[in-house]
Amino acid sequence: MSSSGASPRCARPLRRVVAGLCIAVLVAAGLAPVDPASAQSGGSGVVVIANGWSAPDAGVAAPLAGRLDGVMLYASTESLGSATVSALGKLVPSRVVLVGGAAALSAEVEAEVKSLLPGATVERLSGADRYDTAARAASVELAVPQNRPVILANGWSPSDVGTAAPLAARLGGSVLYAARDVLGAPAAEALEQFAPSQVIIVGGTGALSGDIDTALAELLPDVPTQRFAGTDRIDTAARAALYGNAPTGRPVVIADGWSTPDVGVAAPLAAALGGSALFSYEGAHESLSHALDQLVPSEVVLVGNSVLTDGLAEDLGRLPLDTPQTRITGADRIEIASEAALLAHSRILLSRYDIQSDPAEDRSKVLRLAATRINGELLDVSEFAGRDVLVWFWSPF
C-alpha cells in the first residue's frame, strides 16, 4: 500500500503527491498505451521478476529493469504470490524476464506467468552461479556499448549489492559480482567483451581486496577504476548517491539499509523516478543527513515497513514543507515490490508520453490529457462510461 504524507515527528499535515506524477491509465478496446513494437502481444513494457529472498538475484534484476525501461517484481520459489499476480494483470507486459534458475524461480512460477500472460514473451536469465547470472545480465544491458559503467560488488555481501544496484540503475550501467580475492571468469569475460567506460568497486578491501584492483588494472589498463568504501553501508550508499552529477532537485528513494528486499525494491524505483537511493538507519546518521541536504529532493519515497526511523524522521522534518512524501508498505516483501512497481510504471508512462500535470488539475482534466498523449486524440471522459477502465491514483487529490 502506498500513502502520502509526513511522519508524525515532522508535525506536518498530510500532503498530496503531484497527481500527474502518479497516474497511469489503462483502457480496454484500443485505449491501452501499447508501443508499436509490442502491439502484437497486446501488452506494453517489460517486467523483471526475481526471488524476493535472493539478494544476488534482486541485485541483478534491479539495474536490468532500469536498463530495459521496465519494473521489477518479487516472487517466491514456488509461487508468484497474489500481489505479483495482481500487478501483472495491471501492467500487462509484453516481455517478462525471470532472473535466476529453477532453484530460485521454479518451473511452476514460469508456467504461472505464461498462463497469466499468454501473449507475452517469457524468458529466463540464469547462469551456473550468481557470478555467471550477473554477467549474463550485463551482456543484455551492455549489448550496445554506449560508454556505460560497470559496478563491481562482492556477490555475497547484500549491503554492497544493495548499494551497487541503484547506482548502476541511475548511471545506466550494470552490476557484476566478484569474490573477495578473485575477479572470476564470468566478470572478467564480460568486462573484456564490453569495455566499460569505468569500473566502480563498491565496498572496502574487506569485501573486495586489493587483488581485485590488480586484476582490473591488468585486464583493462585504459579503463579508470574507482572505489566507494564508506564507514558503513549507510555512508557507502550516500557516497554512491552523490557520485558524479548526482541529480539534485529529483526524487530520492529511501529504504531500510538492513532490509535486503526493500533495498532491492528501491533501486529500480529510483531509476524510474530519475532519482537516487539512500539507506536509513535506526538512529540519526550524519551521512544520510548530508546526502539529503546535498540532493535537495523534489520528493521522497519511503520503501518498506521499517524504513521510517526516528533519525530519518528528524532529517525529513528539515526538508521544505512542500516536499511530497510517499510511503510504500505492504503485508510482505512481494506486496511492497508490487506497489513500488506500479508507481514506477506510472512514471515511465508519463515520461514516455510526455504527460505533464499540475496538482490543481482535477481528475477529468488529467484523464483527458493522458488520453490525448496516448492516443493522439482528445477523448471526453464521458466516453469512458461502460468501458473497462483502470485508473491508478497514488494519493488523494
Side-chain angles (χ1 to χ4, degrees):
M1 178 177 65
S2 60
S3 59
S4 303
S7 66
R9 291 289 301 272
C10 296
R12 301 184 211 165
L14 206 64
R15 292 189 299 272
R16 304 170 181 176
V17 173
V18 177
L21 294 178
C22 303
I23 300 174
V25 182
L26 296 179
V27 183
L31 295 182
V34 181
D35 287 337
S38 62
Q40 300 263 341
S41 69
S44 64
V46 179
V47 168
V48 180
I49 301 178
N51 187 313
W53 284 260
S54 172
D57 286 345
V60 168
L64 180 62
R67 179 72 183 91
L68 298 177
D69 201 20
V71 300
M72 185 185 74
L73 293 171
Y74 281 158
S76 67
T77 301
E78 301 297 336
S79 172
L80 285 175
S82 59
T84 295
V85 168
S86 176
L88 287 172
K90 296 172 182 177
L91 295 168
V92 197
S94 60
R95 180 185 179 190
V96 178
V97 181
L98 306 178
V99 173
L105 296 173
S106 67
E108 288 77 15
V109 169
E110 184 173 349
E112 194 175 359
V113 173
K114 291 179 178 178
S115 176
L116 284 170
L117 303 166
T121 298
V122 180
E123 57 196 89
R124 186 183 288 271
L125 195 157
S126 65
D129 52 29
R130 64 188 64 194
Y131 307 107
D132 192 28
T133 299
R136 289 172 184 265
S139 70
V140 175
E141 298 157 7
L142 303 173
V144 180
Q146 295 179 351
N147 203 36
R148 298 183 183 282
V150 163
I151 319 300
L152 190 66
N154 186 317
W156 297 93
S157 172
S159 61
D160 289 340
V161 170
T163 296
L167 179 62
R170 175 166 71 84
L171 299 179
S174 186
V175 173
L176 289 175
Y177 296 151
R180 181 184 182 277
D181 300 309
V182 180
L183 182 60
E189 290 172 4
L191 287 167
E192 195 169 27
Q193 180 179 0
F194 299 109
S197 59
Q198 63 176 322
V199 178
I200 299 174
I201 301 173
V202 172
T205 53
L208 292 175
S209 72
D211 292 341
I212 301 299
D213 298 86
T214 301
L216 291 172
E218 293 176 353
L219 183 69
L220 304 170
D222 298 324
V223 176
T225 300
Q226 183 172 356
R227 183 186 288 267
F228 286 141
T231 56
D232 56 25
R233 66 188 64 184
I234 309 298
D235 186 38
T236 301
R239 290 170 183 251
L242 293 172
Y243 171 71
N245 295 318
T248 59
R250 300 283 188 86
V252 168
V253 180
I254 305 176
D256 180 350
W258 275 258
S259 173
T260 301
D262 290 344
V263 168
V265 168
L269 180 57
L273 302 184
S276 301
L278 294 171
F279 297 161
S280 68
Y281 182 65
E282 61 184 12
H285 200 289
E286 183 178 351
S287 296
L288 176 59
S289 301
H290 175 70
L292 284 171
D293 289 341
Q294 294 297 308
L295 291 170
V296 195
S298 60
E299 67 174 305
V300 175
V301 181
L302 306 175
V303 174
N305 301 330
S306 59
V307 62
L308 190 55
T309 64
D310 288 346
L312 178 56
E314 293 176 5
D315 288 333
L316 296 178
R318 290 193 292 271
L319 295 176
L321 289 175
D322 60 348
T323 304
Q325 295 175 29
T326 298
R327 181 89 180 267
I328 297 178
T329 61
D332 54 30
R333 64 190 67 190
I334 293 180
E335 185 175 335
I336 291 171
S338 298
E339 292 291 334
L342 294 176
L343 175 57
H345 183 65
S346 70
R347 296 297 182 88
I348 292 170
L349 285 181
L350 289 164
S351 175
R352 180 181 303 164
Y353 296 105
D354 193 27
I355 298 173
Q356 303 294 326
S357 180
D358 183 270
E361 294 174 340
D362 61 26
R363 299 187 184 192
S364 297
K365 184 174 181 181
V366 172
L367 283 171
R368 288 198 300 272
L369 182 58
T372 300
R373 295 293 185 272
I374 293 173
N375 298 290
E377 61 182 75
L378 186 62
L379 298 178
D380 188 85
V381 178
S382 62
E383 296 186 28
F384 293 138
R387 292 189 176 184
D388 182 14
V389 182
L390 173 63
V391 184
W392 301 326
F393 292 99
W394 288 88
S395 64
F397 61 96

